[in-house]
């Protein structure tokens, strides 16, 4: 990565802006320090769109909150998050964020019927309250229309959809027309038009232009407020970038930014098709996406906000988050994304629906992952080819090697807590190959109980240390089972319970990397039939505490009756294990060959 980044850096034409962004994002780790002095909002004098967007780095989404609907509080708590408080926004600011994206559902129970489509005063003032809190706490805030349902009908009901869309934006813009420049507006979240995919870019342009003209017409500070326009479904493929660039060129307004979303290489992001590590394809997808976005917009004077980013499979409700994908590989992705965004001058806004910051306690669910995100904005920390060494319990311990990813840093040795391991006796380094000796591994494994026996750190000249876990395992054991699927409606978000088929499993310290599913003739079985490797959680769910691997209704709904399916479970330590399942109606049998 470092070589391509170096070449890319030479090509940037807006070096002064890159320097500004680097300065703005410096020192994110420890941003709570009283000595941290970063410009976090547009200065009082007139600024460019580029300067304002740079000052928003990094940003955070208040996801699944004001964009939710239903429930007793106008939808705000309906999807599991508490009410937004000023303390929440103060926490976000103290954690180093300089902006929030505020997704808002204005439709549903909040907007009246035609022809006026009046937004309720309760909804409008609740949004204003949150905006006021954000600005008072030195956070820029980007407000959008997050409702996609009614705008999807644009191809078939153009007049009514635009009447509603324009009315909503007129009311929003009038309410906030006197607000300072710390407030920006985003046209619409992820516009999509399922009934007319051939003209999706044109329909997106229609919404964007109507939004632009409606907001600017309200005057006041909306005359030069930053307005943010998405691509079709905020997609970053070149044709959609080009279509949005054409719209922005036609509007010829210096206070416009573009927005896309980024959730990484899809097979990596959801753990499907066997992509369980931050491999070359995943890295290349990141670099290519951010580079073409920079080339299309930033290098032509249009700033870019990545309005949502993260990993699709990262959901705290799952209980086994690191399996989508493997935990150390997840850390690599998060820091690399932040780093690449700075290199390509893109402002990131983390999509957080409760998986990262626990809004009930105002604490990060995973402080180490947060640290890697922060590190990426300033220093690309050193890593290794993997974060674990698996030792078979019954086997003879031998030397084990990992490859160092120095990322331009110097390797400074291994530590266990405050104790430095001894080079030569405990480990050797040859080029980028780090080898732990059998003697050191024997000592670290101790009594060789199943699971993690010890954790050591590879330290580098800068950035975060890389944890390496010494794990003892035996090959997992899967038992025969039979059961009846209950046939109840299944959303895919629910716990398995009786909706799933559970395979009794003794994991013996090991963990699943991925699962294949094939019929006897070798063809792929189950959902995503373009690959034998199935999607984690959507089709299979390991529960290491309960000792089960559950297969979901989504998996069996895509499996033919009375045809045995061979499942091949890939484990990080113990290779592969085959298991056969057969569905007959609602009855499932599983056997261990």
């Amino acid at each position: 990565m470092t070589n391509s980044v170096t070449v890319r850096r030479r090509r940037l034409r807006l070096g002064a802006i890159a320097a500004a962004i680097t300065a703005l994002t410096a020192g994110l780790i420890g941003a709570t320090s009283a000595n941290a002095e970063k410009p976090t909002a547009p200065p009082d004098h007139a600024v460019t769109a580029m300067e304002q967007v740079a000052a928003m780095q990094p940003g955070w989404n208040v996801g699944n909150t004001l964009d939710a609907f239903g429930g007793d509080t106008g939808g705000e708590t309906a999807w599991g998050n508490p009410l937004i408080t000023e303390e929440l926004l103060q926490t976000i600011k103290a954690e180093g964020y300089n902006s929030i994206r505020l997704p808002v559902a204005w439709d549903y129970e909040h907007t009246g019927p035609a022809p006026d489509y009046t937004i309720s005063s309760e909804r409008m003032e609740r949004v204003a309250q949150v905006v006021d809190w954000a600005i008072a706490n030195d956070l820029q805030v980007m407000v959008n229309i997050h409702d996609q349902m009614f705008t999807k009908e644009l191809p078939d009901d153009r007049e009514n959809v635009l009447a509603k869309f324009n009315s909503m934006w007129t009311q929003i813009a009038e309410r906030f027309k006197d607000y300072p420049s710390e407030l920006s507006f985003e046209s619409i979240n992820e516009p999509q038009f399922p009934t007319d995919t051939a003209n999706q870019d044109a329909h997106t342009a229609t919404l964007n232009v109507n939004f632009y003209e409606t907001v600017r017409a309200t005057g006041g500070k909306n005359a030069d407020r930053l307005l943010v326009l998405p691509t079709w479904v905020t997609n970053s493929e070149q044709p959609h970038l080009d279509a949005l660039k054409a719209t922005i060129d036609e509007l010829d307004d210096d206070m416009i930014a573009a927005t896309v979303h980024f959730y990484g290489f899809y097979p990596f992001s959801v753990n499907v098709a066997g992509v369980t590590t931050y491999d070359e394809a995943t890295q290349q997808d990141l670099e290519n996406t951010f580079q073409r976005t920079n080339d299309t917009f930033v290098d032509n004077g249009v700033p870019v906000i990545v309005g949502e980013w993260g990993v699709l499979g990262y959901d705290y409700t799952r209980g086994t988050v690191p399996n989508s994908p493997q935990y150390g590989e997840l850390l690599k992705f998060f820091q690399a994304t932040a780093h690449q965004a700075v290199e390509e001058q893109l402002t990131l806004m983390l999509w957080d629906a409760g998986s990262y910051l626990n809004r009930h306690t105002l604490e990060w669910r995973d402080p180490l992952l947060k640290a890697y995100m922060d590190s990426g904005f300033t220093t690309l920390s050193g890593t290794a080819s993997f974060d674990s060494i698996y030792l078979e319990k019954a086997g003879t311990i031998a030397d084990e090697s990992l490859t160092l990813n120095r990322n331009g840093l110097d390797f400074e040795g291994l530590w266990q807590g405050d104790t430095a391991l001894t080079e030569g006796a405990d480990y050797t380094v040859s080029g980028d190959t780090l080898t732990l000796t059998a003697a050191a591994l024997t000592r670290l494994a101790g009594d060789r109980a199943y699971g993690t026996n010890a954790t050591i750190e590879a330290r580098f000249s800068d950035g975060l240390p890389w944890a390496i876990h010494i794990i003892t395992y035996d090959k997992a054991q899967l038992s025969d089972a039979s059961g009846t699927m209950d046939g109840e409606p299944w959303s895919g978000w629910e716990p398995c319970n009786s909706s799933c088929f559970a395979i009794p499993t003794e994991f013996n310290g090991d963990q699943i990397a991925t699962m294949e599913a094939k019929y006897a003739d070798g063809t792929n079985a189950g959902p995503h039939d373009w690959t034998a490797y199935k999607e984690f959680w959507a089709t299979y769910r390991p529960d290491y505490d309960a000792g089960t691997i559950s297969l979901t209704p989504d998996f069996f709904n895509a499996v033919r009756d009375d045809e045995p399916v061979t499942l091949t479970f890939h484990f990080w330590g113990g290779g592969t294990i085959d298991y056969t399942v057969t569905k007959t109606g609602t009855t499932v049998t599983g056997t261990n060959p």
Side-chain angles (χ1 to χ4, degrees):
M1 176 184 275
T2 28
N3 288 339
S4 64
V5 164
T6 300
V7 171
R8 179 74 189 128
R9 192 178 279 138
R10 294 192 188 106
R11 295 178 54 230
L12 293 175
R13 297 198 295 270
L14 297 173
I17 296 169
I21 292 179
T22 301
L24 286 166
T25 56
L28 281 176
I29 299 175
T32 57
S33 167
N35 296 323
E37 297 180 359
K38 305 189 301 294
T40 58
D44 292 336
H45 60 79
V47 297
T48 66
M50 196 75 74
E51 289 169 336
Q52 180 167 347
V53 170
M56 296 170 77
Q57 180 86 290
W60 183 80
N61 275 267
V62 196
N64 283 16
T65 311
L66 284 173
D67 50 326
F69 49 90
D72 298 331
T73 56
E76 192 169 337
T77 64
W79 293 353
N81 283 308
L83 293 169
I84 300 169
T85 64
E86 187 170 15
E87 185 182 9
L88 168 66
L89 301 182
Q90 290 168 340
T91 299
I92 288 303
K93 179 62 183 180
E95 290 293 332
Y97 289 93
N98 292 322
S99 63
I100 62 167
R101 180 174 181 252
L102 191 62
V104 181
W106 301 93
D107 198 8
Y108 309 111
E109 63 261 49
H110 306 297
T111 297
D116 297 328
Y117 302 107
T118 302
I119 297 172
S120 72
S121 60
E122 292 82 6
R123 166 69 17 158
M124 190 71 78
E125 294 315 305
R126 175 55 174 158
V127 173
Q129 182 182 46
V130 176
V131 172
D132 290 342
W133 285 338
I135 293 174
N137 286 282
D138 200 21
L139 286 165
Q140 287 198 61
V141 55
M142 182 170 73
V143 170
N144 74 357
I145 287 181
H146 214 73
D147 310 284
Q148 302 160 324
M149 298 306 293
F150 81 91
T151 58
K152 287 181 180 180
E153 304 303 318
L154 179 66
D156 305 313
D157 194 14
R158 181 183 180 90
E159 182 177 349
N160 289 324
V161 167
L162 290 180
K164 185 173 185 176
F165 184 72
N166 293 342
S167 174
M168 293 169 74
W169 266 119
T170 296
Q171 295 172 72
I172 297 165
E174 286 287 352
R175 174 61 180 83
F176 294 102
K177 67 189 296 182
D178 296 323
Y179 271 63
S181 60
E182 285 88 348
L183 173 64
S184 57
F185 293 143
E186 176 190 16
S187 169
I188 181 87
N189 176 67
E190 297 183 351
Q192 48 196 288
F193 314 97
T195 64
D196 187 11
T197 57
N199 297 297
Q200 52 208 11
D201 289 316
H203 295 313
T204 301
T206 295
L207 290 179
N208 281 334
V209 171
N210 273 262
F211 157 75
Y212 171 84
E213 292 177 346
T214 298
V215 173
R216 287 286 188 251
T218 60
K221 294 186 178 179
N222 290 336
D224 58 3
R225 187 178 307 284
L226 179 68
L227 302 183
V228 183
L229 308 184
T231 58
W232 167 76
V233 83
T234 55
N235 185 282
S236 55
E237 293 301 321
Q238 192 63 55
H240 308 301
L241 300 178
D242 290 340
L244 177 59
K245 180 59 165 53
T247 298
I248 293 173
D249 287 346
E250 290 172 6
L251 294 175
D252 191 23
D253 186 320
D254 291 338
M255 288 304 293
I256 291 179
T259 185
V260 297
H261 292 174
F262 181 72
Y263 286 99
F265 186 46
Y266 180 77
F268 173 85
S269 194
V270 301
N271 192 343
V272 72
V275 181
T276 59
T277 63
Y278 184 70
D279 61 6
E280 184 177 350
T282 304
Q283 176 178 308
Q284 199 62 56
D285 175 80
L286 165 62
E287 293 183 1
N288 291 347
T289 299
F290 283 12
Q291 180 175 323
R292 64 175 173 265
T293 304
N294 171 285
D295 289 350
T296 304
F297 294 112
V298 179
D299 276 3
N300 289 291
V302 179
V304 174
I305 298 169
V306 182
E308 295 181 14
W309 77 284
V311 170
L312 293 171
Y314 191 90
D315 187 335
Y316 79 99
T317 64
R318 295 181 171 187
T320 50
V321 164
N323 284 76
S324 185
Q326 197 273 342
Y327 183 68
E329 305 305 294
L330 197 70
L331 299 180
K332 294 175 186 177
F333 171 84
F334 274 93
Q335 78 152 353
T337 301
H339 181 79
Q340 198 68 21
V342 172
E343 293 297 325
E344 300 295 352
Q345 307 170 72
L346 313 179
T347 288
L348 294 180
M349 305 188 88
L350 178 70
W351 176 259
D352 190 355
S355 285
Y356 300 97
L357 181 73
N358 184 333
R359 296 194 211 159
H360 297 277
T361 66
L362 299 183
E363 296 176 330
W364 292 98
R365 297 184 189 276
D366 188 338
L368 182 61
L369 186 142
K370 171 64 163 55
Y372 269 88
M373 279 193 277
D374 289 350
S375 175
F377 286 105
T378 55
T379 302
L380 198 58
S381 299
T383 67
S385 53
F386 202 54
D387 72 352
S388 302
I389 292 176
Y390 281 83
L391 305 174
E392 191 171 7
K393 187 178 181 71
T396 301
I397 294 178
D399 294 355
E400 298 284 347
S401 295
L402 298 169
T403 301
L404 295 173
N405 304 317
R406 300 172 190 264
N407 291 326
L409 305 175
D410 295 328
F411 173 70
E412 294 191 336
L414 297 178
W415 270 259
Q416 184 181 18
D418 294 330
T419 303
L421 275 63
T422 303
E423 186 170 3
D426 294 328
Y427 68 91
T428 61
V429 179
S430 177
D432 287 330
T433 301
L434 169 67
T435 301
L436 278 90
T437 66
L441 290 171
T442 300
R443 184 179 73 251
L444 292 167
D447 62 4
R448 301 176 74 175
Y450 288 143
T452 300
N453 305 134
T455 297
I456 58 177
E457 291 181 346
R459 297 184 183 178
F460 299 84
S461 55
D462 200 356
L464 299 169
W466 179 253
I468 301 170
H469 308 288
I470 311 303
I471 299 172
T472 293
Y473 78 97
D474 269 335
K475 191 166 187 175
Q477 300 294 321
L478 281 62
S479 300
D480 294 351
S482 62
T484 301
M485 311 288 286
D486 63 14
E488 291 297 317
W490 167 257
S491 71
W493 294 92
E494 303 163 1
C496 268
N497 301 327
S498 59
S499 300
C500 298
F501 176 73
I503 303 171
T505 306
E506 295 178 28
F507 288 100
N508 297 332
D510 212 345
Q511 291 197 345
I512 295 176
T514 188
M515 180 189 83
E516 290 182 86
K518 292 183 179 181
Y519 293 110
D521 63 2
T523 58
N524 301 328
H528 297 308
D529 59 5
W530 49 273
T531 175
Y533 292 90
K534 303 296 99 175
E535 181 180 341
F536 170 78
W537 196 257
T539 58
Y540 69 97
R541 302 181 178 185
D543 187 327
Y544 298 106
D545 293 329
T548 59
I549 303 171
S550 293
L551 304 176
T552 71
D554 285 350
F555 173 75
F556 285 111
N557 288 341
V559 167
R560 299 192 291 265
D561 272 13
D562 300 317
E563 291 193 40
V565 175
T566 297
L567 307 177
T568 301
F569 293 99
H570 295 249
F571 286 82
W572 289 114
T576 62
I577 297 176
D578 288 342
Y579 190 87
T580 301
V581 293
T582 305
K583 180 191 77 167
T584 303
T586 60
T587 299
V588 179
T589 58
T591 58
N592 191 1

